[in-house]
Amino acid sequence: MFDMMKMMGKFKEAQDKMKEIKNQLDTIKVESESGAGLVKVEVNGKKEVISIKIDKSIINEVEMVEDLTVAAVNKAMKKVEIKSSEFIKEKTGNLMPNIPGFDIGNLFK
């Protein structure tokens, strides 16, 4: 028979570890660009936009700035999703079982 208290202790340990990992996601930084570097965006692992830099040569081209900003943000979000998932998998190690189709990264959304 299994020890219920031991199992609950392991669950609490896993919960604490997940909380710690979630707090570390803002240390992940990803930069992306569009328009050959005319617009640059930086995003952290919590999927927060940290900075947007727009080249002065296109500042009067509003529609272009909008399109390039959307493209750069979308690229950065895709990159940070991958990087965050890798970070979470690395940090959790064998804390969670490897269940096919179960993405541990979804726990942080």
mmCIF file of all heavy atoms in Angstrom, residues 44-67:
data_model
loop_
_atom_site.group_PDB
_atom_site.id
_atom_site.type_symbol
_atom_site.label_atom_id
_atom_site.label_comp_id
_atom_site.label_asym_id
_atom_site.label_seq_id
_atom_site.Cartn_x
_atom_site.Cartn_y
_atom_site.Cartn_z
ATOM 1 N N ASN A 44 9.873 38.684 -22.759
ATOM 2 C CA ASN A 44 10.396 37.792 -21.733
ATOM 3 C C ASN A 44 9.601 36.484 -21.705
ATOM 4 O O ASN A 44 8.618 36.327 -22.427
ATOM 5 C CB ASN A 44 10.428 38.468 -20.348
ATOM 6 C CG ASN A 44 9.060 38.740 -19.771
ATOM 7 O OD1 ASN A 44 8.055 38.159 -20.133
ATOM 8 N ND2 ASN A 44 9.016 39.663 -18.824
ATOM 9 N N GLY A 45 10.022 35.563 -20.867
ATOM 10 C CA GLY A 45 9.410 34.238 -20.785
ATOM 11 C C GLY A 45 7.989 34.237 -20.281
ATOM 12 O O GLY A 45 7.277 33.242 -20.417
ATOM 13 N N LYS A 46 7.546 35.332 -19.716
ATOM 14 C CA LYS A 46 6.154 35.448 -19.279
ATOM 15 C C LYS A 46 5.285 36.029 -20.393
ATOM 16 O O LYS A 46 4.150 36.394 -20.183
ATOM 17 C CB LYS A 46 6.057 36.326 -18.032
ATOM 18 C CG LYS A 46 6.666 35.679 -16.806
ATOM 19 C CD LYS A 46 6.490 36.555 -15.582
ATOM 20 C CE LYS A 46 7.074 35.857 -14.363
ATOM 21 N NZ LYS A 46 6.964 36.689 -13.160
ATOM 22 N N LYS A 47 5.874 36.125 -21.575
ATOM 23 C CA LYS A 47 5.220 36.658 -22.768
ATOM 24 C C LYS A 47 4.800 38.111 -22.610
ATOM 25 O O LYS A 47 3.738 38.530 -23.061
ATOM 26 C CB LYS A 47 4.030 35.780 -23.167
ATOM 27 C CG LYS A 47 4.447 34.381 -23.536
ATOM 28 C CD LYS A 47 3.271 33.571 -23.982
ATOM 29 C CE LYS A 47 3.733 32.162 -24.273
ATOM 30 N NZ LYS A 47 2.623 31.286 -24.553
ATOM 31 N N GLU A 48 5.678 38.868 -21.977
ATOM 32 C CA GLU A 48 5.479 40.305 -21.829
ATOM 33 C C GLU A 48 6.449 41.010 -22.766
ATOM 34 O O GLU A 48 7.636 40.674 -22.801
ATOM 35 C CB GLU A 48 5.753 40.750 -20.391
ATOM 36 C CG GLU A 48 4.843 40.093 -19.370
ATOM 37 C CD GLU A 48 5.306 40.313 -17.933
ATOM 38 O OE1 GLU A 48 6.525 40.472 -17.686
ATOM 39 O OE2 GLU A 48 4.433 40.294 -17.054
ATOM 40 N N VAL A 49 5.957 41.978 -23.517
ATOM 41 C CA VAL A 49 6.826 42.758 -24.404
ATOM 42 C C VAL A 49 7.629 43.708 -23.524
ATOM 43 O O VAL A 49 7.073 44.491 -22.762
ATOM 44 C CB VAL A 49 6.006 43.542 -25.450
ATOM 45 C CG1 VAL A 49 6.921 44.423 -26.288
ATOM 46 C CG2 VAL A 49 5.214 42.584 -26.334
ATOM 47 N N ILE A 50 8.943 43.607 -23.613
ATOM 48 C CA ILE A 50 9.840 44.423 -22.792
ATOM 49 C C ILE A 50 10.199 45.723 -23.518
ATOM 50 O O ILE A 50 10.237 46.785 -22.914
ATOM 51 C CB ILE A 50 11.124 43.644 -22.457
ATOM 52 C CG1 ILE A 50 10.767 42.398 -21.652
ATOM 53 C CG2 ILE A 50 12.106 44.516 -21.698
ATOM 54 C CD1 ILE A 50 11.909 41.424 -21.537
ATOM 55 N N SER A 51 10.472 45.593 -24.808
ATOM 56 C CA SER A 51 10.835 46.798 -25.564
ATOM 57 C C SER A 51 10.499 46.635 -27.037
ATOM 58 O O SER A 51 10.445 45.527 -27.558
ATOM 59 C CB SER A 51 12.327 47.115 -25.409
ATOM 60 O OG SER A 51 13.106 46.140 -26.075
ATOM 61 N N ILE A 52 10.263 47.774 -27.655
ATOM 62 C CA ILE A 52 10.062 47.845 -29.104
ATOM 63 C C ILE A 52 10.931 48.994 -29.604
ATOM 64 O O ILE A 52 10.844 50.099 -29.082
ATOM 65 C CB ILE A 52 8.586 48.115 -29.475
ATOM 66 C CG1 ILE A 52 7.681 46.972 -28.988
ATOM 67 C CG2 ILE A 52 8.444 48.322 -30.984
ATOM 68 C CD1 ILE A 52 6.207 47.198 -29.215
ATOM 69 N N LYS A 53 11.762 48.692 -30.589
ATOM 70 C CA LYS A 53 12.621 49.712 -31.180
ATOM 71 C C LYS A 53 12.268 49.845 -32.656
ATOM 72 O O LYS A 53 12.220 48.850 -33.375
ATOM 73 C CB LYS A 53 14.083 49.345 -31.007
ATOM 74 C CG LYS A 53 14.522 49.379 -29.547
ATOM 75 C CD LYS A 53 16.001 49.078 -29.411
ATOM 76 C CE LYS A 53 16.511 49.229 -28.010
ATOM 77 N NZ LYS A 53 15.936 48.444 -26.981
ATOM 78 N N ILE A 54 12.019 51.078 -33.079
ATOM 79 C CA ILE A 54 11.631 51.352 -34.462
ATOM 80 C C ILE A 54 12.673 52.285 -35.078
ATOM 81 O O ILE A 54 12.982 53.335 -34.526
ATOM 82 C CB ILE A 54 10.234 52.008 -34.509
ATOM 83 C CG1 ILE A 54 9.203 51.058 -33.879
ATOM 84 C CG2 ILE A 54 9.855 52.369 -35.941
ATOM 85 C CD1 ILE A 54 7.855 51.685 -33.624
ATOM 86 N N ASP A 55 13.206 51.863 -36.221
ATOM 87 C CA ASP A 55 14.193 52.668 -36.927
ATOM 88 C C ASP A 55 13.558 53.993 -37.352
ATOM 89 O O ASP A 55 12.442 54.033 -37.874
ATOM 90 C CB ASP A 55 14.690 51.899 -38.159
ATOM 91 C CG ASP A 55 15.890 52.552 -38.781
ATOM 92 O OD1 ASP A 55 15.705 53.546 -39.507
ATOM 93 O OD2 ASP A 55 17.014 52.066 -38.534
ATOM 94 N N LYS A 56 14.271 55.070 -37.142
ATOM 95 C CA LYS A 56 13.755 56.414 -37.446
ATOM 96 C C LYS A 56 13.442 56.619 -38.929
ATOM 97 O O LYS A 56 12.618 57.459 -39.269
ATOM 98 C CB LYS A 56 14.745 57.471 -36.964
ATOM 99 C CG LYS A 56 14.812 57.547 -35.463
ATOM 100 C CD LYS A 56 15.835 58.558 -34.991
ATOM 101 C CE LYS A 56 15.840 58.508 -33.459
ATOM 102 N NZ LYS A 56 16.923 59.200 -32.868
ATOM 103 N N SER A 57 14.067 55.842 -39.773
ATOM 104 C CA SER A 57 13.856 56.027 -41.215
ATOM 105 C C SER A 57 12.440 55.657 -41.655
ATOM 106 O O SER A 57 12.000 56.067 -42.733
ATOM 107 C CB SER A 57 14.870 55.204 -42.013
ATOM 108 O OG SER A 57 14.619 53.820 -41.858
ATOM 109 N N ILE A 58 11.706 54.896 -40.836
ATOM 110 C CA ILE A 58 10.347 54.503 -41.229
ATOM 111 C C ILE A 58 9.267 55.107 -40.332
ATOM 112 O O ILE A 58 8.092 54.788 -40.464
ATOM 113 C CB ILE A 58 10.181 52.967 -41.254
ATOM 114 C CG1 ILE A 58 10.405 52.361 -39.869
ATOM 115 C CG2 ILE A 58 11.062 52.340 -42.311
ATOM 116 C CD1 ILE A 58 9.942 50.937 -39.729
ATOM 117 N N ILE A 59 9.649 55.988 -39.452
ATOM 118 C CA ILE A 59 8.726 56.511 -38.450
ATOM 119 C C ILE A 59 7.503 57.208 -39.057
ATOM 120 O O ILE A 59 6.423 57.213 -38.470
ATOM 121 C CB ILE A 59 9.458 57.434 -37.437
ATOM 122 C CG1 ILE A 59 8.712 57.478 -36.106
ATOM 123 C CG2 ILE A 59 9.681 58.804 -37.989
ATOM 124 C CD1 ILE A 59 8.751 56.215 -35.342
ATOM 125 N N ASN A 60 7.639 57.777 -40.258
ATOM 126 C CA ASN A 60 6.512 58.451 -40.911
ATOM 127 C C ASN A 60 5.647 57.512 -41.746
ATOM 128 O O ASN A 60 4.636 57.927 -42.295
ATOM 129 C CB ASN A 60 7.009 59.612 -41.776
ATOM 130 C CG ASN A 60 7.607 60.720 -40.925
ATOM 131 O OD1 ASN A 60 7.117 60.998 -39.836
ATOM 132 N ND2 ASN A 60 8.668 61.327 -41.417
ATOM 133 N N GLU A 61 6.063 56.273 -41.847
ATOM 134 C CA GLU A 61 5.317 55.256 -42.603
ATOM 135 C C GLU A 61 4.476 54.435 -41.613
ATOM 136 O O GLU A 61 4.800 53.300 -41.279
ATOM 137 C CB GLU A 61 6.279 54.335 -43.360
ATOM 138 C CG GLU A 61 7.226 55.039 -44.293
ATOM 139 C CD GLU A 61 6.506 55.628 -45.504
ATOM 140 O OE1 GLU A 61 5.458 55.098 -45.906
ATOM 141 O OE2 GLU A 61 7.000 56.643 -46.030
ATOM 142 N N VAL A 62 3.374 55.013 -41.161
ATOM 143 C CA VAL A 62 2.570 54.427 -40.088
ATOM 144 C C VAL A 62 2.135 52.994 -40.391
ATOM 145 O O VAL A 62 2.293 52.104 -39.556
ATOM 146 C CB VAL A 62 1.336 55.308 -39.778
ATOM 147 C CG1 VAL A 62 0.444 54.647 -38.737
ATOM 148 C CG2 VAL A 62 1.773 56.681 -39.309
ATOM 149 N N GLU A 63 1.614 52.761 -41.554
ATOM 150 C CA GLU A 63 1.130 51.425 -41.900
ATOM 151 C C GLU A 63 2.269 50.407 -41.894
ATOM 152 O O GLU A 63 2.111 49.283 -41.408
ATOM 153 C CB GLU A 63 0.438 51.447 -43.265
ATOM 154 C CG GLU A 63 -0.462 50.250 -43.483
ATOM 155 C CD GLU A 63 -1.301 50.395 -44.739
ATOM 156 O OE1 GLU A 63 -2.003 51.413 -44.885
ATOM 157 O OE2 GLU A 63 -1.247 49.461 -45.560
ATOM 158 N N MET A 64 3.422 50.807 -42.413
ATOM 159 C CA MET A 64 4.585 49.913 -42.414
ATOM 160 C C MET A 64 5.034 49.622 -40.989
ATOM 161 O O MET A 64 5.323 48.466 -40.648
ATOM 162 C CB MET A 64 5.754 50.519 -43.207
ATOM 163 C CG MET A 64 6.979 49.614 -43.245
ATOM 164 S SD MET A 64 8.459 50.372 -43.944
ATOM 165 C CE MET A 64 7.976 50.650 -45.618
ATOM 166 N N VAL A 65 5.080 50.637 -40.160
ATOM 167 C CA VAL A 65 5.482 50.452 -38.755
ATOM 168 C C VAL A 65 4.529 49.473 -38.066
ATOM 169 O O VAL A 65 4.962 48.566 -37.351
ATOM 170 C CB VAL A 65 5.523 51.804 -37.998
ATOM 171 C CG1 VAL A 65 5.705 51.581 -36.505
ATOM 172 C CG2 VAL A 65 6.631 52.687 -38.545
ATOM 173 N N GLU A 66 3.235 49.652 -38.294
ATOM 174 C CA GLU A 66 2.245 48.755 -37.688
ATOM 175 C C GLU A 66 2.460 47.315 -38.135
ATOM 176 O O GLU A 66 2.503 46.401 -37.306
ATOM 177 C CB GLU A 66 0.828 49.213 -38.047
ATOM 178 C CG GLU A 66 0.427 50.511 -37.406
ATOM 179 C CD GLU A 66 -0.882 51.076 -37.931
ATOM 180 O OE1 GLU A 66 -1.376 50.625 -39.000
ATOM 181 O OE2 GLU A 66 -1.422 51.980 -37.276
ATOM 182 N N ASP A 67 2.594 47.112 -39.443
ATOM 183 C CA ASP A 67 2.775 45.759 -39.983
ATOM 184 C C ASP A 67 4.061 45.107 -39.478
ATOM 185 O O ASP A 67 4.067 43.934 -39.077
ATOM 186 C CB ASP A 67 2.788 45.784 -41.513
ATOM 187 C CG ASP A 67 1.428 46.128 -42.110
ATOM 188 O OD1 ASP A 67 0.417 46.047 -41.381
ATOM 189 O OD2 ASP A 67 1.387 46.478 -43.311
#
